[in-house]
Amino acid sequence: MESRSVSRQTANDTASGETRARPAGPGGVLWRHLIEPYLYLSPALVLIGLVMAVPLAIGISYSFQSITLLRPLDSGWVGLENYRDLWSDRKFWRAFANTFQWTFGSLAFQFGLGLGLALLLNTAFAGKRLIQALVFLPWAVPAFLSALTWAWLFNPVIGPIPHWLAALGLLDEAENILADPALAMWGPIVANIWFGIPFFAITLLAALQSIPGELYEAAEIDGASPWQSFTKITLPFLAPMIAITVMLRTIWIANFADLIFVMTGGGPADSTQILATYIFTTAFRKLDFGYASAIAVALLALLLVYAAVLMMIRQRLVRT
Amino acid sequence: MARMELNGIAKAYGTVEVMRDIDLVIEDGEFVVLVGPSGCGKSTLLRMIAGLEPITAGDFTIDGERMNEVPPRERDIAMVFQSYALYPHMDVARNMGFSMEIARAPAAERQGRVAAAARTLGLDTLLARLPRALSGGQRQRVAMGRAIVRDPRAFLFDEPLSNLDAALRVEMRLEIARLHRKLGATMVYVTHDQVEAMTLADRIVVLEAGRIRQIGAPLDLYERPANRFVAQFIGSPTMNILPVTAEAGAVRLADGSRIEMPQARPGASHLGIRPEHLEVTDPGEGQIVGTADVVEHLGSDTNIAVSVAGIGALMVRRQGTATLRPGDRIGLGIAPGKAHLFDAEGRALRPAPAD
Amino acid sequence: MASIRRTPALLTALKYAALAGYVGFALFPLYWLVKIALTPERVIFSEGTQLWPSAVTLENFRTVLFHSDFLAFFSNSLMVSLGTAAATTLIAAASGYAFSRFRFSGKRLIIAVMLVTQMFPLLMIIAPIYKIVAAIGLLNSLTSLIVVYTAFNIPFATFLMQSFFDAIPKDLEEAAMMDGCTRFQALRKVIVPLTLPGLGATLGFVFTAAWSELLFALMLINSNDRMTFPVGLLTFVSKFSVDWGQMMAAGVLALVPSCLFFIFIQRYLVQGLTTGAVKG
């Protein structure tokens, strides 16, 4: 009923030659553009808010507090003390450096091998559906199980890998590389490569399949060699997908603690400790939530810097 | 039964106004075609009538009842979509009877109405099929059947034939005309195809850039276009437009030839002449002399592109076949009664009422 | 790349060799897992590193199934994963629908927030979550895990569902509304039936993710009877640190649900990951 009087008002205005936006009636603009969409969104927003946004804010505030569950009396605001401790914590800097080795060591192989696989799968061959399902299978294996499986494979008692490495002369004797501080990081990295190739293969394959076939035919008519087709058509088409998957994946790998935690727990002698596992072991084993949160903030800052640098590089590339 | 009235309808997305000052009355049982180039707002207008698009300002009534805020389901209007929008997971019968299913009509009544509509449209044998097992023409019929079963007070069509091939399009056009005669319901039809507009409409509404440029019966628009836009939009090939300078009782073309026109008066800036109204004469006769550039033989007609020194290219249409060949010199005559005059703003200049 | 050009035999051979390499790399660890699980205990050390066991047995599986907490872990994980998958899919379907079908103020901001949640270290909130869950007395409950996992998975599932909704022409629900449906009726009668494959795929993705989660489960659950599979399996590792056959048998069993879902969702992987995850 209200809308009726409102409308009469507007009708008069229009009659006097003035067009004006109509105030929202029931079922009108307000409903369509504000209330109804948020009705559908509200469960998601509430959950994200309560389980992610609020704890995130709390987590940041923890980094300025002393919260150790084992020493409940010691809690309270400590200002920047956690960060000062961080600065002089050699384990932290070790983990910081390890994070780079872990992330880029994994990423480079995942991407290179994933791209190779995607290119292979984009060609025709017999039994393709089966092969595709098989090579994507590692992606379906839960991370903790991948970690355990690879830990076992690296174990000379039960796994073949040390024996192979020794036979190839890469190791002096068949021993567990996970126990060797100089080599241990390569264990989780190999597991991560195994686990991560399918992700790149799947996304890049999808991008490859979206390249119109006529382009290759046109290039062939124009006399392009296969290599030229690859560099002039395939790569430029893949570039946006590569950029975004590499960025997302870098961040994801940097945050990915499961493999290392299960395979080595950060050892031996912290040689495989990355920031993400350092956060978890500090929170889980020492129950020192304040310090764990400070490490987490440092990791977040690192990732933000990374994202910003990547954006800048991208902008520069676009400009030239 | 539905008489629709649009008063000062406007549409804006945010601050961008795409349509304004739409005033239109659609009489009960009338077949009105909204036509215009793509982006003119014809579909938006139809969707506002349907209730799928909010009306920014103005009033829209059906049978005197204000509809602006009434949701589509309560407007009692059926719509045939360009994509047909058949429900892919329902068979033809359920597609057609869906509106009655929603209205919880008794199954027997629903089946009866679906069967009747299917008979009318020749869909009897296809009722158990899924849409993906139908041809384009059959899908189109199902979409119309769905609207018919609904038994609405008005039908809306949004470019319903544009996805069909040429032969089917002609067939379905006739079908729609028959349907209108049979049901006598109000129909609003959007198309960019002027042939559909001319053949189907009781009245045509020509839109350009969110404004109505002219409303009228098909022949009205053809014979008395209100402006250059309508003049050039209606008719095929397009009306020739020639710049002129006005003199008393006549206009002078750019090549110097003088054409007597009673409606000529100061301000006349362009002369419009339809290709079928240019008379082909021997060189030297008629007002204009030119050279045939391209000759298109259509069988029933012949289109001739003529280039004229000082004026440019003119399109000429002759009935039947012609023996002309590219390069031939021909004369062209403009019959004063068939020519149109426009002022600098594109408005048509009419002969004085006394004429 | 339809090409008439003849591919040299050497290149073809290289291609198949490369494919064989990938398949071998992908399958070998899983083969090893199954092999040890099937190897009888008495020969496990003597032929520990042989490629092919001289005898096979199901004894390890029997022990794991009937003489360990395995079944409890398994059913806990199943409950958590199914609960998470169902709740997430339902909620993400609603939010994905909103993203797909409405233009509204704040949309870009919400999308940005959801993207950011995919980037920041989830471990950052492990401590606050622990304290909150402890404060409301939900430590050691599967409910808390379901709630937490659901929130984690909503953003990705939302983008995924949005891509499935985007693939359904808007005309269809407009036609339904012209046919007398309310928007919700149109959603229920027309859109949802057409999105069933998408809903299934989302369900599968989320199930797999919840099935694999370890760190939060480790933090929030510490009583034996509530442990999910990953947590339970880690206790296996320390408890039976020498019983390789049983651990691997448990591992094989843990793989089963993931692989089942994987087979189901495999054909949506390419579509879902590109349109859903990357487009945003």
Side-chain angles (χ1 to χ4, degrees), chain C residues 120-226:
Chain C
F120 80 79
L122 277 183
L123 283 174
M124 207 169 164
I125 58 176
I126 202 163
I129 292 262
Y130 179 85
K131 285 208 81 169
I132 293 172
V133 169
I136 52 181
L138 279 179
L139 277 184
N140 268 325
S141 85
L142 298 181
T143 318
S144 66
L145 279 189
I146 292 179
V147 171
V148 169
Y149 290 174
T150 300
F152 287 175
N153 282 298
I154 280 176
F156 178 76
T158 296
F159 293 134
L160 201 57
M161 282 312 301
Q162 183 195 351
S163 76
F164 288 117
F165 284 123
D166 282 347
I168 295 175
K170 245 182 141 166
D171 281 3
L172 284 182
E173 67 206 303
E174 293 185 341
M177 288 198 262
M178 296 302 298
D179 270 346
C181 290
T182 61
R183 182 181 280 279
F184 189 70
Q185 273 178 316
L187 178 62
R188 199 160 52 87
K189 299 216 170 221
V190 176
I191 306 300
V192 167
L194 294 174
T195 326
L196 282 181
L199 287 169
T202 309
L203 214 60
F205 274 112
V206 179
F207 181 93
T208 317
W211 185 262
S212 320
E213 208 288 330
L214 168 66
L215 300 182
F216 278 78
L218 213 50
M219 196 82 191
L220 297 178
I221 304 284
N222 45 41
S223 78
N224 235 12
D225 58 332
R226 291 293 160 77

Side-chain angles (χ1 to χ4, degrees), chain A residues 47-92:
Chain A
L47 262 179
I48 291 175
L50 288 183
V51 182
M52 298 179 90
V54 170
L56 179 66
I58 296 177
I60 293 174
S61 82
Y62 279 3
S63 72
F64 301 102
Q65 299 176 51
S66 162
I67 301 181
T68 307
L69 294 194
L70 299 176
R71 286 177 285 137
L73 296 179
D74 263 3
S75 58
W77 295 91
V78 295
L80 292 174
E81 195 185 301
N82 284 325
Y83 292 98
R84 269 195 295 273
D85 290 349
L86 215 55
W87 188 256
S88 50
D89 180 358
R90 292 183 55 189
K91 281 175 78 172
F92 170 77

Side-chain angles (χ1 to χ4, degrees), chain A residues 33 36 38 113 152 194, chain C residues 22 25 32 103 105 183 244:
Chain A
H33 288 281
E36 201 179 359
Y38 280 98
L113 292 171
W152 295 329
W194 180 76
Chain C
Y22 276 110
F25 184 49
W32 204 257
R103 294 186 310 169
S105 40
R183 182 181 280 279
W244 297 105

Side-chain angles (χ1 to χ4, degrees), chain B residues 76-327:
Chain B
D76 192 18
I77 295 176
M79 179 155 165
V80 177
F81 289 79
Q82 178 175 8
S83 65
Y84 315 137
L86 302 180
Y87 311 122
H89 57 304
M90 302 180 191
D91 62 20
V92 168
R94 190 155 172 236
N95 256 289
M96 287 171 64
F98 187 64
S99 59
M100 297 184 70
E101 183 183 324
I102 292 299
R104 298 176 194 282
E109 189 191 338
R110 188 168 79 215
Q111 281 153 13
R113 289 246 288 270
V114 168
R119 251 193 319 280
T120 314
L121 292 163
L123 291 169
D124 317 48
T125 56
L126 303 175
L127 285 176
R129 292 231 197 136
L130 286 177
R132 65 167 169 270
L134 299 178
S135 70
Q138 289 165 340
R139 286 178 203 183
Q140 161 69 53
R141 282 168 197 274
V142 176
M144 287 190 16
R146 189 167 66 183
I148 295 171
V149 170
R150 172 92 210 264
D151 189 24
R153 54 180 171 179
F155 289 80
L156 308 180
F157 297 88
D158 188 4
E159 310 218 19
L161 306 184
S162 60
N163 288 342
L164 298 178
D165 63 44
L168 262 176
R169 204 177 301 173
V170 174
E171 187 188 325
M172 290 313 295
R173 202 172 74 205
L174 295 173
E175 195 93 43
I176 292 173
R178 237 172 262 140
L179 187 71
H180 180 238
R181 215 172 43 231
K182 184 173 160 216
L183 300 176
T186 311
M187 294 189 177
V188 185
Y189 188 106
V190 162
T191 180
H192 62 267
D193 180 332
Q194 49 138 333
V195 178
E196 279 172 35
M198 296 294 284
T199 50
L200 287 170
D202 293 325
R203 276 193 308 153
I204 296 178
V205 178
V206 183
L207 288 152
E208 187 208 7
R211 301 289 202 99
I212 292 181
R213 300 310 306 264
Q214 191 173 0
I215 305 174
L219 285 184
D220 254 4
L221 300 190
Y222 178 79
E223 284 162 2
R224 281 178 295 281
N227 47 58
R228 259 176 73 181
F229 178 79
V230 174
Q232 289 201 278
F233 192 80
I234 302 289
S236 173
T238 309
M239 180 187 280
N240 298 297
I241 299 288
L242 315 174
V244 294
T245 45
E247 293 175 5
V251 294
R252 196 171 285 281
L253 296 180
D255 69 342
S257 46
R258 190 183 137 92
I259 294 159
E260 306 271 338
M261 293 188 78
Q263 71 267 45
R265 56 177 175 268
S269 76
H270 288 88
L271 176 144
I273 180 81
R274 296 198 182 277
E276 54 271 38
H277 295 151
L278 275 169
E279 291 161 24
V280 178
T281 63
D282 293 330
E285 291 175 34
Q287 294 98 324
I288 308 172
V289 181
T291 312
D293 251 349
V294 181
V295 182
E296 300 173 337
H297 297 283
L298 303 179
S300 61
D301 302 289
T302 308
N303 291 340
I304 309 152
V306 180
S307 70
V308 180
I311 291 180
L314 290 179
M315 184 57 85
V316 183
R317 177 176 192 148
R318 281 193 65 174
Q319 279 208 334
T321 55
T323 53
L324 277 168
R325 281 213 296 255

Side-chain angles (χ1 to χ4, degrees), chain A residues 33 36 38 40 55 62 69 113 117 123-125 140 144-145 148 152 157-159 163 194 206 244 251 255 276 296, chain C residues 15-16 22 25-26 32 48-49 94 103-105 119 121 123-124 128 130-131 183 230 233 244 248 251 258 270 274 278:
Chain A
H33 288 281
E36 201 179 359
Y38 280 98
Y40 288 100
Y62 279 3
L69 294 194
L113 292 171
L117 182 55
T123 62
F125 53 86
F144 70 92
L145 196 57
L148 286 175
W152 295 329
V157 175
I158 204 85
H163 303 279
W194 180 76
I244 191 136
I251 292 171
N255 289 327
Chain C
K15 179 174 125 182
Y16 282 101
Y22 276 110
F25 184 49
W32 204 257
T49 57
R103 294 186 310 169
F104 54 92
S105 40
M119 295 196 194
L123 283 174
M124 207 169 164
Y130 179 85
K131 285 208 81 169
R183 182 181 280 279
L233 200 64
W244 297 105
M248 301 239 181
S258 303
V270 173
T274 47
V278 178

